[in-house]
Amino acid sequence: MSRPTRLAAVATARLAEAGVPSARVDAEILLAEALGIDRGRIPVADDATAAQEAAYEALIARRAAREPLQHILGRAYFGPLTLAVGPGVFVPRPETELLAVRAARQAGRGAGIVDLCAGSGALGLYLAATVPDSRVVLVERDPAALAYLRRNAAGTGATVLAADVRDPGLPARLTELLGTVNLVVSNPPYVPDDAPLDVEAAADPALALFSGPDGLDLIRDLAPLAARLLAGGGEVGIEHDDTNGAGTAELLRRAGFSDVAEHRDLAGRPRYVTGRMDA
């Protein structure tokens, strides 16, 4: 049997050597998983059993091979949400919470909300959980992502719609489901085709990442779609690559949005753009 703190220290060194950027945090999260305790209790936990040590070794070996932490755990945290994730669906990033928080503040009680390219459902389900009486539709086309989305949306009251955002019939389907749409959010594929990725990001499905030479191919379609959905007034918020915020803003202006604003994340990088559609 071994002390948990010693196990965590050895694992931290191993993950750091493997190039894991958050080695200590990941080592402790995985140790808590193996021990079945909260991470904060590691310093006072009982010695690990042989079975727990073996389980921990298996988890650390996977992380040292640069398998994403969220894939190992089978879940990701996003604001108040715990989302099922794994191979085949984009893992939500903490930076996206900034868009979610702003969108929740802008949406009024009972708002009709559409999350385009919903993936695991992070944005739309955050809004379903935080905007009173909201009516949320989550749009996703990829079958693998849809499996996670349906699991995450179960019991939330949000509606999952299997559809391509480029389908010309989509606005009519959304209007039928929601009536008036007050808010459109999206964290779409936006990475330029030749952009380098770190090992963990490359584990996300390419369909959820790349969108043409400048990363704007899908956003070129999302901007006019959002304008059509919000013809009666409302706000759009779209996350983008840190190289194409100005391009995203210009696409919203061309689609007829006013008060277009670019927003940065906590690290100061361009992260998302918002705009308003006048009624």
Side-chain angles (χ1 to χ4, degrees):
M1 296 191 295
S2 299
R3 291 298 302 158
T5 50
R6 179 179 179 277
L7 289 173
V10 172
T12 296
R14 181 175 174 185
L15 294 183
E17 184 178 359
V20 175
S22 51
R24 182 182 65 82
V25 171
D26 289 13
E28 292 179 356
I29 289 173
L30 292 173
L31 180 57
E33 185 78 3
L35 298 178
I37 62 173
D38 292 333
R39 179 184 167 201
R41 291 195 55 79
I42 289 175
V44 296
D46 293 334
D47 290 352
T49 66
Q52 288 171 330
E53 285 191 51
Y56 186 46
E57 165 61 27
L59 294 175
I60 291 298
R62 293 172 65 183
R63 189 68 186 102
R66 303 298 294 273
E67 183 176 350
L69 177 67
Q70 297 85 354
H71 286 193
I72 297 171
L73 298 174
R75 61 184 182 271
Y77 301 103
F78 189 85
L81 307 177
T82 301
L83 300 168
V85 296
V89 70
F90 181 82
V91 173
R93 310 297 199 254
E95 295 86 351
T96 305
E97 292 185 32
L98 297 174
L99 171 55
V101 169
R102 177 190 164 84
R105 289 173 179 166
Q106 297 298 114
R109 177 181 290 271
I113 300 170
V114 177
D115 181 359
L116 299 170
C117 306
S120 67
L123 278 172
L125 293 177
Y126 181 101
L127 295 167
T130 57
V131 178
D133 302 322
S134 55
R135 299 163 293 116
V136 178
V137 177
L138 308 148
V139 181
E140 176 57 52
R141 70 165 182 166
D142 181 58
L146 277 165
Y148 290 100
L149 180 58
R150 290 190 174 105
R151 178 177 170 185
N152 291 328
T156 66
T159 299
V160 174
L161 181 60
D164 190 324
V165 297
R166 287 172 164 150
D167 179 356
L170 179 60
R173 295 176 68 184
L174 290 170
T175 300
E176 183 178 354
L177 286 168
L178 287 174
T180 300
V181 177
N182 308 107
L183 175 67
V184 173
V185 293
S186 183
N187 182 12
Y190 56 61
V191 178
D193 288 344
D194 60 353
L197 299 175
D198 63 32
V199 177
E200 286 80 3
D204 285 321
L207 188 65
L209 293 174
F210 300 106
S211 190
D214 60 1
L216 292 172
D217 276 6
L218 191 55
I219 295 176
R220 288 187 178 92
D221 294 314
L222 289 180
L225 170 60
R228 182 173 175 185
L229 293 173
L230 296 168
E235 181 165 302
V236 63
I238 300 178
E239 185 167 324
H240 56 75
D241 187 71
D242 57 15
T243 65
N244 57 29
T248 301
E250 180 58 24
L251 289 171
L252 290 184
R253 292 188 186 97
R254 291 180 188 175
F257 285 94
S258 61
D259 298 327
V260 175
E262 300 178 47
H263 304 266
R264 294 180 178 270
D265 61 23
L266 297 179
R269 294 169 299 205
R271 180 56 52 196
Y272 67 95
V273 172
T274 58
R276 293 202 62 80
M277 181 60 65
D278 297 327

